[in-house]
Amino acid sequence: MKMRVRICLFLIMSIYANNVSASTVEQLEKRVKELEILVQQLLQQRKVEPEVTESNSPSENESTYSTDPLSTQVQNLSLQVEEQQYLIDETSQVLDSSMKLAGYADVEYKGSSEDGVNEEFRMHHLSLFFTRQFDNDLKFFSEIEYEDGPKFSGVNDGSGDMDESSGTIFVEAMNFDWNYNQYINLRVGRFFTPAGIWSEDHYPPFVATQERPMHIRKIFPQLVDGVSGFGSTYLSNDISFDYNMFLGNGESSVSGKNDLNSNKATGFRGNFYFPVLDDLTTGFTIYNDNEDTANGNADKTAIGFHIKARYENVTGQIEYAKADLEFADSASDYEREGFYGQILYDLDQWALGYRYDVYDQTSLDLDKIKRHSLFINYHVNESITLKGEYHINQYDDPLIDDFGFYIFSISTYLGR
């Protein structure tokens, strides 16, 4: 009876084998499960064959390999199945090592109470992720961002002059990862600065607001072109720690091509994970860049702290960062400081939240900005999110009027 079950499976699998190259391994596994259920249903409708007894068992003189047509057919089908299984394994390896495409996109409708600002649609992001896993240890990742519906048109006279241009095309990330073990791994290329929470977890489909907290990317840079070492370990049975240390070109408009001075930017971020509430993460970031060309060649030292906690449907997170900028003329020294606290309540497909921001550009009282943000998200499914958010900016400078602005958006993750 078992032999007939195998014959049914082998025969049906052979039908699909020619299309293995056009199917994913996941689809094949799903089909096999469906076929197994089908075979079981068929078996329930068949009568059980009589067991082999001494009277009908082969004699010692008979060949172990029967030459009857059914046995021959079974042997041939078995060989075909082995060949098809080999093709499936080969296809799995090709799929695992092939270039994979994902990304995200978002469209916004914006308005403001600020004088002279029009309501507008914005084709904000179309970002494409290209990933290739060469083997178990080596991986490539890149992100190409098309922001604000870029359009570039040149004058066709050989001059190279631009006739029309808008938007931005930008290589946001391009790096190679070498994964040695849990404790020691290496990343080389361009990557998002490991700093706090929002700097890395910033993609629109996965954050609560399109508008990021005010100090993000203004104290720690957005990107690093260089090398990073990272890993994780357990400090006890329940407490884990991960780290990321990095070395790269200083922040500048040409960091992808060269460094404008002989100094290198350095940094370290550490994260602790505690078995408190449903989830608790806290950590710190340290960053240094002497002769920071993006900030008037100042010697820049920055520190930051962050904490994120989740309990049932409520998630809260806090980030604080401060940078000291020292110049050749000490009278020009100043500090830059930022903070935000955010709370988010999830209810099925809905999420409601509030965030409070403070940002001080130059440590002068009149430069301080406060922002209150209210937001609501609706997750249509795991890939598409609808957002509505309203922000109020409050200025310490009496010459600048407070104003509010709102954003309605749809964002989608383009991967699986």
Side-chain angles (χ1 to χ4, degrees), residues 99 128-131 140-144 171-175:
M99 182 75 77
L128 302 178
F129 305 155
F130 297 88
T131 306
F140 170 81
F141 173 79
S142 68
E143 178 182 351
I144 312 299
V171 179
E172 280 218 304
M174 186 196 70
N175 53 70

Side-chain angles (χ1 to χ4, degrees), residues 90-317:
E90 286 290 303
T91 302
S92 298
Q93 295 179 9
V94 170
L95 290 173
D96 289 341
S97 62
S98 63
M99 182 75 77
K100 294 178 175 61
L101 176 64
Y104 69 90
D106 56 357
V107 176
E108 302 172 351
Y109 183 74
K110 303 179 66 176
S112 174
S113 64
E114 188 177 10
D115 292 339
V117 176
N118 298 324
E119 293 183 339
E120 60 189 13
F121 286 99
R122 185 182 187 188
M123 310 298 106
H124 198 166
H125 299 102
L126 171 60
S127 287
L128 302 178
F129 305 155
F130 297 88
T131 306
R132 183 172 182 187
Q133 188 79 44
F134 294 101
D135 52 37
N136 291 334
D137 301 326
L138 190 59
K139 175 184 176 181
F140 170 81
F141 173 79
S142 68
E143 178 182 351
I144 312 299
E145 181 169 301
Y146 300 83
E147 189 168 3
D148 297 323
K151 179 180 180 181
F152 300 93
S153 176
V155 180
N156 191 23
D157 61 0
S159 66
D161 294 336
M162 294 299 295
D163 178 54
E164 185 178 21
S165 65
S166 66
T168 302
I169 300 175
F170 183 43
V171 179
E172 280 218 304
M174 186 196 70
N175 53 70
F176 294 88
D177 278 8
W178 178 61
N179 298 309
Y180 181 65
N181 58 32
Q182 174 186 340
Y183 311 102
I184 303 174
N185 304 279
L186 191 67
R187 177 171 296 160
V188 178
R190 170 173 290 181
F191 46 88
F192 292 100
T193 303
I197 301 171
W198 203 286
S199 179
E200 290 190 300
D201 301 334
H202 65 278
Y203 293 122
F206 309 121
V207 293
T209 61
Q210 296 291 105
E211 192 74 13
R212 58 179 172 264
M214 289 186 292
H215 79 270
I216 301 300
R217 300 183 181 177
K218 296 175 182 175
I219 294 180
F220 299 109
Q222 176 186 0
L223 303 167
V224 174
D225 290 345
V227 60
S228 166
F230 58 97
S232 62
T233 186
Y234 276 92
L235 303 180
S236 68
N237 290 335
D238 298 322
I239 301 174
S240 64
F241 174 76
D242 68 41
Y243 74 91
N244 196 315
M245 61 178 67
F246 54 93
L247 172 75
N249 292 344
E251 186 180 9
S252 74
S253 60
V254 294
S255 60
K257 181 180 180 181
N258 53 37
D259 198 350
L260 295 180
N261 59 66
S262 59
N263 299 297
K264 292 291 175 285
T266 59
F268 183 94
R269 184 186 67 171
N271 272 321
F272 296 90
Y273 299 89
F274 298 94
V276 179
L277 305 175
D278 290 331
D279 182 42
L280 176 64
T281 303
T282 185
F284 63 93
T285 305
I286 303 172
Y287 177 81
N288 177 259
D289 183 8
N290 292 332
E291 295 186 47
D292 184 351
T293 55
N295 291 282
N297 293 324
D299 291 344
K300 179 180 178 180
T301 302
I303 59 171
F305 302 96
H306 62 271
I307 183 170
K308 185 174 184 178
R310 181 177 59 85
Y311 179 67
E312 295 184 350
N313 295 340
V314 179
T315 302
Q317 65 188 60

Side-chain angles (χ1 to χ4, degrees), residues 8-111:
C8 292
L9 284 174
F10 291 167
L11 186 58
I12 299 173
M13 288 178 65
S14 297
I15 295 174
Y16 288 109
N18 292 330
N19 295 322
V20 168
S21 60
S23 305
T24 64
V25 175
E26 182 178 340
Q27 291 171 327
L28 289 171
E29 292 175 346
K30 182 179 179 180
R31 287 174 180 170
V32 170
K33 290 181 181 179
E34 292 173 349
L35 294 172
E36 288 176 344
I37 294 173
L38 176 61
V39 170
Q40 292 299 324
Q41 292 174 344
L42 293 173
L43 287 176
Q44 291 177 3
Q45 301 175 12
R46 299 177 65 87
K47 294 181 180 179
V48 178
E49 294 182 356
E51 295 182 357
V52 176
T53 62
E54 292 184 1
S55 60
N56 58 24
S57 62
S59 65
E60 294 181 1
N61 295 328
E62 293 184 35
S63 173
T64 304
Y65 300 97
S66 175
T67 59
D68 68 272
L70 181 60
S71 297
T72 302
Q73 184 180 6
V74 169
Q75 294 172 15
N76 292 336
L77 286 172
S78 298
L79 291 174
Q80 292 179 31
V81 168
E82 289 181 5
E83 293 175 356
Q84 301 305 328
Q85 187 60 53
Y86 175 78
L87 290 176
I88 291 174
D89 293 340
E90 286 290 303
T91 302
S92 298
Q93 295 179 9
V94 170
L95 290 173
D96 289 341
S97 62
S98 63
M99 182 75 77
K100 294 178 175 61
L101 176 64
Y104 69 90
D106 56 357
V107 176
E108 302 172 351
Y109 183 74
K110 303 179 66 176

Side-chain angles (χ1 to χ4, degrees), residues 339-342 354-358 370-373 394:
F339 163 86
Y340 79 84
Q342 174 178 291
Y354 167 77
R355 185 170 67 235
Y356 175 69
D357 269 282
V358 179
K370 300 175 184 177
R371 176 182 291 170
H372 299 272
S373 303
Q394 298 176 332

